[in-house]
Amino acid sequence: MEQLFMSWIKIKELRESANNDIVEAGKVLTTREAAGEELTAEDNQLLERNYKSAEEKIEKIKVLERQAEAEKSIEQRIGREDKVSTPVDKDIESRAFDKWLRYGKSALNEVEVRALSKGTSTEGAEFVPESFADFYVSKMSELSSMEEAGCRIITTENGRDIPVPVLDDSSNTGELLNEGSTANEEADPATGEVILKAYVFDSKVVPVSIHLVEDAAFPIQEWLGEALAHRVADIENSYFTTGTGTNQPGGVKTKCTDSGILASSASGTKYADLVSLKYGVKKRYRGKNSIYMMNSTMLSGIKKLTDTTGRPLWQPGFGENPPEIDGHRYVVNDDLADVDILFGDFSHYVIRRVRGPEMKRFDDSAYMKKLQYGYIIFERADGNLTNTEAIHKYAHSTYSGQPA
């Protein structure tokens, strides 16, 4: 995936450079024509040089596009293969991991060490088998408001920076041609990129009583997986929501477009404010995937609002249909302030994660003198909004969602 992004960027650079060569040649022709002058020998040399340069770059683009297609095909096939080529006995793997959690590495025999090493989801995380990693990741997804909102997840095999293309073609339209007419020049979409890094998040050490850990009846894998996932999900969601983007993830609230809405009332958010927020977002970003996001305090106020016909804005869900606000699904994110409401298509927010989690166990004197073991989990991740127009924000200057 990372290599595909790099190929895309190189192709983009070559296209821009080839276009510049042709534009510069066109300036010479236009200047001479406007002055009614013939091309000089020097002009002809410049034209020849620019045309040749553009043709060479176009040929390179063709080669890179073929390479990118081949990489995409390989990536798709690899993605369908098991990451572990050698089958692992899941029962042995689970028992070995449980043993390591309770008694440490020295308690493992050769077969158990090999089982865990084969089951690892990331190099260096020697004792995090896939079964535990899958449970942990599943819990993370349940606990993350940003993932619930439908953000796009990218998983990479290493922590190198990756550029994510940004494309906004909403300002361009097609055209109607009369018979025999020539199509106008290309209308390039607004392009750019955001760089996703690999910031390290950790759970902080979770101390657990030795007596509890060594009690065979204690479900240590499930308990630890949930406790660690809660901690990491909370800190990640905080940064994915309000991060500055400087030496930390770019938060969706920080990066999205400010609606500029002036609250219709000094005493609280009104129906008119929600209507203005929703329809301030371009139509393509307020379809079936668009949602509202707010914290619990704002939601409690909006649940009391009605539209102009007296119909409650909040509607309970039925069956598989989730509850809605004015016809749209919503997500509660308590990392937003009481005054905030976001609306738009959250699939334009990208979360990047590096492989799987890494876990450490502490049984040194600092813990043993307290009759405890310590556990900590590490994860590398980043997040940023790739299209600021896809999501708009509203913030009441003083009050939360409580109606007048």
Side-chain angles (χ1 to χ4, degrees), residues 84 88-101 104-105 107-132 221:
V84 182
V88 178
D89 187 321
K90 296 299 181 183
D91 289 336
I92 292 177
E93 180 186 277
S94 181
R95 288 198 302 270
F97 184 58
D98 187 87
K99 194 173 180 180
W100 174 74
L101 289 173
K105 183 177 179 180
L108 303 178
N109 60 39
E110 184 178 340
V111 173
E112 291 166 337
V113 170
R114 186 163 59 249
L116 287 180
S117 298
K118 289 179 180 178
T120 183
S121 60
T122 175
E123 185 178 342
E126 187 179 8
F127 300 114
V128 182
E130 288 183 358
S131 56
F132 180 82
Q221 291 192 45

Side-chain angles (χ1 to χ4, degrees), residues 330-383:
Y330 64 87
V331 169
V332 175
N333 184 347
D334 284 327
D335 286 310
L336 289 172
D338 289 352
V339 297
D340 294 330
I341 306 175
L342 275 57
F343 179 83
D345 185 349
F346 281 74
S347 68
H348 293 273
Y349 190 93
V350 178
I351 295 174
R352 179 265 184 103
R353 290 201 168 93
V354 181
R355 294 189 181 182
E358 180 175 352
M359 190 172 182
K360 301 295 181 184
R361 178 184 187 273
F362 301 98
D363 57 5
D364 52 55
S365 60
Y367 290 93
M368 292 302 292
K369 67 183 181 183
K370 298 179 182 179
L371 296 179
Q372 295 175 332
Y373 293 130
Y375 302 91
I376 189 171
I377 204 161
F378 297 89
E379 191 174 294
R380 288 183 291 170
D382 193 11

Side-chain angles (χ1 to χ4, degrees), residues 213-229:
V213 170
E214 295 183 355
D215 180 355
F218 177 54
I220 188 169
Q221 291 192 45
E222 182 178 337
W223 185 89
L224 265 181
E226 190 155 348
L228 296 169

Side-chain angles (χ1 to χ4, degrees), residues 145-146 237-238 240-241 252 293-296 331-337 342 346:
S145 296
M146 291 297 289
N237 195 78
S238 174
F240 295 158
T241 304
V252 65
M293 180 180 281
M294 67 207 69
N295 75 6
S296 300
V331 169
V332 175
N333 184 347
D334 284 327
D335 286 310
L336 289 172
L342 275 57
F346 281 74

Side-chain angles (χ1 to χ4, degrees), residues 14-15 17-22 47-63:
L14 285 170
R15 281 178 175 159
S17 182
N19 184 64
N20 289 338
D21 289 336
I22 295 172
L47 292 175
E48 183 64 27
R49 186 166 59 249
N50 281 27
Y51 290 146
K52 182 178 180 181
S53 174
E55 289 172 359
E56 290 173 349
K57 290 166 185 171
I58 290 170
E59 288 303 313
K60 288 181 181 178
I61 289 170
K62 293 178 180 177
V63 172

Side-chain angles (χ1 to χ4, degrees), residues 170-305:
S170 57
S171 62
N172 291 319
T173 61
E175 61 183 351
L176 173 66
L177 288 178
N178 294 322
E179 186 175 352
S181 299
T182 302
N184 289 319
E185 294 182 358
E186 296 179 358
D188 292 333
T191 59
E193 64 184 30
V194 295
I195 303 298
L196 293 181
K197 297 183 177 292
Y199 298 111
V200 179
F201 293 88
D202 73 69
S203 61
K204 296 184 180 178
V205 178
V206 177
V208 188
S209 163
I210 287 177
H211 303 298
L212 187 61
V213 170
E214 295 183 355
D215 180 355
F218 177 54
I220 188 169
Q221 291 192 45
E222 182 178 337
W223 185 89
L224 265 181
E226 190 155 348
L228 296 169
H230 264 284
R231 291 189 175 195
V232 179
D234 284 349
I235 187 62
E236 282 190 356
N237 195 78
S238 174
Y239 280 102
F240 295 158
T241 304
T242 61
T244 64
T246 302
N247 299 322
Q248 59 184 248
V252 65
K253 175 184 171 181
T254 310
K255 299 297 182 179
C256 71
T257 297
D258 190 334
S259 65
I261 297 170
L262 296 177
S264 58
S265 170
S267 59
T269 297
K270 297 292 187 181
Y271 170 58
D273 301 326
L274 293 182
V275 171
S276 297
L277 173 63
K278 175 179 175 178
Y279 289 97
V281 176
K282 292 177 182 177
K283 182 179 178 181
R284 64 181 61 193
Y285 304 130
R286 61 171 193 263
K288 63 180 182 179
N289 292 326
S290 58
I291 67 167
Y292 286 103
M293 180 180 281
M294 67 207 69
N295 75 6
S296 300
T297 301
M298 178 62 84
L299 176 61
S300 69
I302 289 178
K303 279 189 171 184
K304 303 167 188 173
L305 293 178

